[in-house]
């Protein structure tokens, strides 16, 4: 694991955002957090990120899939991990394929999260 790997966690529920960021920090990642897609865009414009972890259902005009597509245009090597409490539908599957990302159904075990993040960062 590299000290330079930075993950941007985008989650509108504070408790979930804190839980995810704490777990990822305990695995040695640099973690940035945002409570909305708009906030995530601001953060990503100021910091290079290796992986975007975003909830698909976000408040506001831009959901997680749209956020991922927009950031991937600016950072073509960006890895993406989508999460959701809803079962993946066709739109979710298209977003995962389009960004070469992965999907993790909520609730998930934190070790499953860490394993999925590691695999994505390793290019798998």
């Amino acid at each position: 694991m590299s000290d330079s790997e930075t993950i941007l966690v985008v989650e509108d529920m504070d408790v979930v955002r804190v839980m995810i960021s704490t777990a990822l920090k305990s695995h040695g990642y640099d973690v940035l957090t945002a409570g909305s897609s708009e906030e995530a865009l601001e953060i990503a414009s100021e910091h290079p990120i290796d992986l975007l972890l975003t909830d698909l259902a976000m408040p506001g005009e831009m959901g997680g899939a749209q956020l991922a597509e927009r950031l991937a245009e600016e950072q073509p090597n960006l890895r993406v991990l989508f999460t959701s409490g809803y079962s993946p539908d066709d739109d979710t599957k298209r977003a995962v394929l389009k960004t070469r990302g992965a999907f993790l159904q909520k609730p998930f075990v934190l070790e499953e999260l860490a394993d999925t993040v590691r695999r994505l960062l390793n290019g798998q």
Side-chain angles (χ1 to χ4, degrees):
M1 177 175 341
S2 167
D3 289 316
S4 65
E5 292 174 320
T6 301
I7 300 171
L8 175 55
V9 176
V10 186
E11 168 63 56
D12 60 311
M13 293 181 60
D14 293 342
V15 67
V16 176
R17 187 172 59 249
V18 169
M19 179 194 66
I20 290 171
S21 64
T22 301
L24 293 172
K25 286 176 184 176
S26 76
H27 281 83
Y29 299 107
D30 291 328
V31 180
L32 305 169
T33 62
S36 69
S37 294
E38 293 75 18
E39 184 182 359
L41 288 173
E42 288 179 32
I43 292 170
S45 72
E46 299 171 4
H47 304 276
I49 57 173
D50 299 294
L51 185 137
L52 170 67
L53 189 159
T54 183
D55 190 355
L56 280 165
M58 297 292 295
E61 296 181 15
M62 186 183 314
Q66 294 85 6
L67 171 65
E69 288 179 26
R70 188 151 165 200
L71 290 179
E73 289 173 5
E74 298 167 14
Q75 298 183 42
N77 294 324
L78 179 67
R79 305 291 188 207
V80 181
L81 175 56
F82 296 103
T83 64
S84 180
Y86 301 103
S87 296
D89 59 13
D90 289 341
D91 288 339
T92 301
K93 293 172 187 170
R94 276 192 290 277
V96 170
L97 288 172
K98 190 170 186 175
T99 61
R100 298 178 323 275
F103 175 80
L104 200 55
Q105 179 80 40
K106 292 179 187 175
F108 47 78
V109 178
L110 293 177
E111 283 306 313
E112 181 182 16
L113 170 67
D115 290 345
T116 303
V117 165
R118 185 73 260 148
R119 281 196 319 275
L120 281 169
L121 287 169
N122 286 344
Q124 301 172 355

